[in-house]
Each structure stands twice: as C-alpha cells, then as structure tokens.
Amino acid sequence: MHKIVRVMKKIIIGAALLAVAAGVAGSVYAAWVFYRAEPAYAGHMKMSGLSAPVRIFRDGYGVPHIFAQDKDDAAFALGYVHASERLFQMEMQRRAGQGRLAELVGPSMLDVDEFTRTLGLYKLAQSSFEAMSPDAQACFKAYAAGVNAWLKTHQDRLPPQFALLHDTPAPWVPADSLVWQKLMALELSHNEHLEILRARLAQKMPRDKMAWLFPMPPAGTPVTTQPLALPAPPQAARDVQDKLAGLLGLDHAASNEWVVGGALTQTGKPMLANDPHLGLEAPILWYLARIVTPQGSVKGATVPGLPIVLLGENDHVAWGFTTTGSDVEDLFVETIDPKDPSRYMTPDGSAPFATREEIIHVKGGKDVVLHVRVTRHGPVISDVSKDAASVAKPGQVVALAFTGLGDKDRTAESLLRIDDAPDAAALIDALKLYQAPPQNIVYADDKGAFGYINPGIVPVRKSGDGLMPADGASGDDDWVGTVPFDELPQVADPAAGYVFNANNAVVGPDSNVYFGQDWEEPYRARRLQQFFDIMGATGQKFTLAKMEAMQADHLSLAARDFLPVLAALKPQDARQTRALEMLGGWDGVMDAARPEPAIFDAWLYEFHKRMFAQTGVDMSEKGPFAAMTLMSLIKNHAQDWCGDADCHGMMLQSLTDALDFLTARQGPDMAAWRWGRENVAMLTNKFYSHIPLLDDLSNLSVESSGSFYTLDRGGGFDHDAAHPLSRTHGGGFRGIYDLADPDKSLFMIATGESGHIFSPHYGDLVPMWNNVMGITLSGTAAQLKQAGDPELVLSP
C-alpha cells in the first residue's frame, strides 16, 4: 500500500506539472491519464487465443516470470506483457520499419520514411514471414494475438504518448515483429558509410595517404578465432600477481562477450558473459523475461515486439552476441543509359530500372509520392540519401547491395530455435537459417561444450574488396555467391580453454575468405587478453565474481598507450604543466570521481578534431576519438601529416583547448574536476524529453565511470554539443551465465522494465546497472507465490 501511495504521489506531481505546462485545468485528470495506463500486475483476465491458463508473476524488479503449458501460450503472454509495459516503443519500432513515422510526427521524419520505403523493409518482413516454418509462424501469430488482446482491453487506457500524438495503434501482425530484425540488420551494418567516407577522402588526397587513416591493427592484436594458449602458472604465482595487480586493476573489469570452458572455472562447467553495446535511452531497448513451460525454460533479454529471448540461456545452453562488422554492404555506382533515363547500363547492355510508387502520408502536409528505382544490385539510395548522392556524378545513381535485404529471411526462426536448443550442436544447427546481420556468437552447454561462431550471409565478390563504391556497369565487382556455412569463422572447444570477442578481428590477415577489415579498435580486446593471461599466469579459476569484475573494468589501454607520448611533451605554461603532472601520476583507470580521465578524454577529443581537420571531410564515421589511427599517424607519418604545424605542437594546443573546455564547465581548479560530470550515461526519454517539466521527471541519466575504450563501455558516436564527452552507448544489457547452476546466472538492463515514467519499475535498475551488478531470475511458481510476488492469470 505504501508503494502505491508513493507512486500515486509521483504521478500527481508529474501530472500537475504537465497540466501547468500545457495550460490544462484539472491536474487530477492528468494524473488519471498516467495512472490508468499502468498495467495490472495481479488479477484474473479471460481472453480468447489461449489453450490453457497462463500464470505471470512479477518479481521485485517487475520482471515477468511466465508459466505456460506450451510455447504458443507463452508467446501470447509475452506479447501481452510487452504491450502492457512498452507499447509506445513497439509502435515506434514498427512505424520506423513500415516507413510511417511522418504521418505521426510530421515532415521532420519524411527523409527517414523515404529511405525505409526505398529499401522495402516491411515488404521483406511480410515475405519472410511466409517463408517461415508452420511452427515459427504459429509462435509469431500467438505473440501478435497477445499484443492485440492487450490492445482490445485497453483502448481507453493507452499510454499518454498516443493521446498527445493523436495515434490509435493498429492491430499487431507478425510482420510488425519481423521488421525489427530488418531494422537491426541495417543499423548494425555500416560498410556503406565507410565506403562513402573513403570515396570523399579519395577526392581530397592520394590513395596511399588516405590509407593512413585506416590502419590495420598492430601485430599481436587478438583475433577471435585464434585464442592464445594461457601461460602456465609460475612457481612464484603470488609474485606475478603482485607485479600485475597495480598495473592491470585486477579488482575492476568488464567486456563484450567471452566464454570460458569448464577446465578454467571453479565449478568445472563453462561460464559465459555478454554485454552488447547499443544506444542508451530510457526505457532501454531490452526487456528481461523468464518463460517456463513443461518443455523447459528460457530467460534473458527480449526486445518488445518479438516473441524471442534474444540473449540469455535455457535449461542447457547459454549464448551471447556482439556485432561483427563484416563487409556485407556494397555501393554500386550505376550509369544511366544516356539514350533513355528509365534504363541503366549493365555488362550485357541497357536494362530497365524496376520501379514502384510509395505513398507517404505526412502529418500537417500533403501526401508525398515516392518513386523507387531498383537495379540488379539493389535499390537506388542516392534518390533518398544525400550522402550516397555525393559520390555520384551527373548521369549516375548509387544502388545498395546488402545481405539484409533478403525476402525469405528466416533469421528470426533461427533465434527461436536457439531458445529451444538442447545442446551446443543444436544451437549451431539452428544458425544455418541465420542470414543478417552477421553476429559474433559465443555459446556453451551444460555438457561442457563451448565455442564461437560468426553466422550470417557474407558475399563473395568477383574481384575487389568492397572498401570503395564500385562501378556497376562493368560487373567487375559483382557478388557471385556467398561464403558457405562451414567456412564461416568459428572455433569449437578451443585448446586455449576460452574464446572472446570485443568487436575485434574475427579472422587473421592470412584468411582465405574475405570478411572485411574495418574491425573495431582493439583496445577492449587487448584488455580481455590481459585478463586471460593474468588468470593463466596466476593459476586462478574463473568464478561469477571474477566475471562480474571483468564486466566492471574501467582501465583504458588507449590512455595507457598515450600517456608516455603526453609525458614527452614540453609544457608551455603553468596550466599545461599542472595537467601533465596529474596525467603522469595517473594509472589510466576511468574513474568517475577523478579529474585525470576528464583531462585525457577532453584532450583526445580535441586532438582528434585538429588532426582530422586537414582532411576537409566529415570524419565522424571514424568515431569520436580514433585513438589507434591517431597513434599510427604520430608514430609513422608525423612529418607528412602534421607538416610545419608539428604533431607535438598540435598536441599541446589540443591540451590547451581541453583545459579551456573543462574550465568553462567545471571551474579553474583542476583537482576538483570529476570525470563523471562529463561521462554522463544519457538515459533520456525520447518522447518526454521534449516536454517541459516531464523531461526532468523522465530523465534517468547518471554520472558513470568507464569510457569509449574500457570494457565497461562508454562514449558513443552521437553526442550533442552540450555533452560532447557523454556516454550515449554502452552495455544496456549484461548477462553472466553459470552452466553449473543457471539459478545463479546474472542479468541486468540499464533502466527498468517499464516504459511508464511513473512506474516504480521505470528506472529502479539504474543504480545496479551503473555499479555493474546483476539480478537472478529463478523460482518455481509456488516459490514466487509464497514470496508474495503479484500474480496475473490469463485464461481462455
């Protein structure tokens, strides 16, 4: 009762502020608008579409534990629960995939709709549903029925966003779920952007100089499919540990994904950790759930809109994902037939564009008729993308070839099968259906098997490497096939006893198959390798506590690499002297309470701007720091790149710029500066952040440790001018799986389960997430009931 009173007080306060801000009389009604949208956690609901009753318990964090008699009833219940907590998120996701955002918010989203419609993502989702097996189709239909059951009973209690936007959500259909996977395949594939960047740079400088901006990782950089044997413990193990402890920060650690075989764990069974890095927001993309049926259980991270546990574990198998960065997109510059603009040139002569019209409704404006053109390589995106159009000359257009544009894509069915996999072999078999986007998947089962595989369609090119836009008319760079499943990067039960990935290279430079070369900078991978080396050298066994510590690591190896460079500088004034002295005594740990991380990251940010300014090109695709590239430039090409400006002089001027920046924001006393004031995890609500007063009430942002190059990942590619060093990306979900005892496995998301801003579960997980802690998801129905967890029963 006290919790309900506290929640109602928050709702009334917020509604009163909203009423004042909007000029609405009657804050009680405004409070009721928020309160009535809150879902019921207890009770008994009758509805059609179920074969047997389903029991849903919400634990103390609002996580649903769904007990159903079969998988379809469980999917129905998950759809119902998702809709009750995250309906607006689901609505925006499907509208994005449909290309129907402009009809909701106006002309500002027209360009997004035009791009999505040109790719035809929703049509591809519809045809992909038809290609799925009957069992998979039934699951997606059951999920849609659950969403619609909630919509049917709550039309007068929709979340306030719908009323404010004058939107009534349409019934959910399976394609609404499947289009999310198409969107994510697009979002997690960036080759086209790097091709455009290279094309623009090629217009400004010689190819050999341009290559300096894309250095290969240094020799000795970890490669996922080539895990190194651990060093044997020396007799004086304590001496090694003492020697390394201060250097490597053994008590604080974090990561993307890794799996450890039973030979290296205290339990004798594998352990697996995963924290995928996507954009931070409130609510976070992920939603925790646990599903129990007579056939087994599965738990972990779901995405509202899909009937799948994407990341997690079942009774026998655990798995984790990170993005690969394989080169699965190519831009083809097509030549328009000079005799007929409705045709384009191919190796066999002139061919007609395939065409279609799309009608886009625009709120507050006239309908827009979009004329879509498609070539043999793919849709013409230069008609709807200024960036793509910038690499085309008069009489040319640019088409996108992309493996994520399959019309019979059974990736979602592959993920459904993983949820049910009884062992590692079944998981691998399920991934044979997987198409896009390519992902690094680590896995383990309770029998002791573990490994890594990189599934997804990867093109084989007739020639070329896909790094630059190719001539479409010649056919020289056409795709001529795909890499066979057995030749995809993978390793099973490696002798090293572990395997990891931090978006680093998945194959070595001597690979017979080309997967790309634009891997993530290797700092996090190097840090992971250090941990495994330490554990091997000291003879320690992995435990859940050690896995948690690794996920919480804040040591930046990028900072460690640059500190000797900064120490060699000759300061020009007292401020520079003081700053360099502080950095000289710093260990590279990006602690929110310390000033040195703020000085270093602000310097690196300013140095990045100065070093790349001479390109005359927007270099944002290289990231906010590009530390590996900067280090390569000053080590290998200093004179040629910096010229008379002198790289050391640019470093000192960048230091002055950084100190000016921090002084303006935090005052003149360097010792009082705090990294956390800059490295704020931006957990803002995309909708309510635009409404005065509600923006603060919905804002869950928090000062945090870590950085762009630490295992507890921070930073990001998209910052606003007011927060250039903020944390906009990170591990919005974290999981650590114990194959010896799944009840001990740990889970965490960045915000809370609910999308309702006055729910007690809107942001209750933020403190634990920020401190890199986890919760368990376990218990029988009887145990959860005895614990007093609220129970909602859905009956046919």
Side-chain angles (χ1 to χ4, degrees), residues 1-83:
M1 180 61 71
H2 292 299
K3 180 180 285 189
I4 294 175
V5 170
R6 290 197 302 271
V7 172
M8 284 304 298
K9 284 182 178 178
K10 285 183 66 179
I11 291 174
I12 291 172
I13 292 171
L17 293 172
L18 177 60
V20 171
V24 178
S27 61
V28 174
Y29 174 75
W32 179 245
V33 169
F34 282 99
Y35 176 72
R36 69 182 181 179
E38 294 276 350
Y41 282 6
H44 195 149
M45 305 283 292
K46 287 188 174 292
M47 53 195 60
S48 60
L50 290 169
S51 65
V54 178
R55 304 173 72 184
I56 305 171
F57 294 90
R58 294 311 213 296
D59 65 20
Y61 301 105
V63 178
H65 297 244
I66 299 171
F67 293 82
Q69 289 304 305
D70 62 41
K71 291 186 293 184
D72 289 347
D73 281 356
F76 181 104
L78 185 61
Y80 187 92
V81 167
H82 277 166

Side-chain angles (χ1 to χ4, degrees), residues 103-151:
E103 70 180 60
L104 189 65
V105 300
S108 64
M109 297 304 292
L110 178 59
D111 56 345
V112 176
D113 285 350
E114 288 178 333
F115 189 78
T116 305
R117 296 281 191 100
T118 295
L119 297 184
L121 297 185
Y122 197 72
K123 296 179 187 296
L124 297 174
Q126 291 173 317
S127 61
S128 293
F129 176 72
E130 298 302 324
M132 296 171 74
S133 69
D135 285 349
Q137 288 185 349
C139 180
F140 275 81
K141 287 178 179 178
Y143 180 87
V147 175
N148 292 331
W150 193 90
L151 286 173

Side-chain angles (χ1 to χ4, degrees), residues 356-398:
R356 69 176 189 275
E357 285 188 355
E358 299 273 351
I359 307 299
I360 302 176
H361 304 303
V362 182
K363 184 176 183 178
K366 295 181 179 180
D367 288 351
V368 172
V369 179
L370 176 68
H371 300 279
V372 178
R373 296 185 286 180
V374 182
T375 75
R376 65 194 184 92
H377 294 115
V380 174
I381 63 171
S382 54
D383 290 342
V384 292
S385 166
K386 292 180 180 179
D387 285 345
S390 70
V391 302
K393 298 176 181 178
Q396 295 178 333
V397 295
V398 179

Side-chain angles (χ1 to χ4, degrees), residues 538-621:
T538 59
Q540 297 179 67
K541 296 287 189 178
F542 282 89
T543 63
L544 283 177
K546 172 55 66 174
M547 304 284 271
E548 273 194 292
M550 291 172 71
Q551 283 195 335
D553 187 59
H554 296 137
L555 177 63
S556 168
L557 293 187
R560 281 287 181 87
D561 285 356
F562 269 104
L563 286 176
V565 176
L566 290 168
L569 297 177
K570 296 180 180 180
Q572 298 176 332
D573 56 43
R575 278 202 315 165
Q576 288 184 353
T577 299
R578 174 62 177 144
L580 291 173
E581 286 176 348
M582 292 172 68
L583 291 176
W586 176 50
D587 59 5
V589 174
M590 306 297 285
D591 186 336
R594 298 295 305 168
E596 295 90 352
I599 296 171
F600 174 75
D601 252 33
W603 169 78
L604 189 60
Y605 178 76
E606 296 293 344
F607 187 48
H608 170 277
K609 289 195 297 185
R610 283 187 174 272
M611 288 288 279
F612 286 167
Q614 65 169 284
T615 66
V617 172
D618 179 3
M619 296 290 291
S620 57
E621 280 301 319

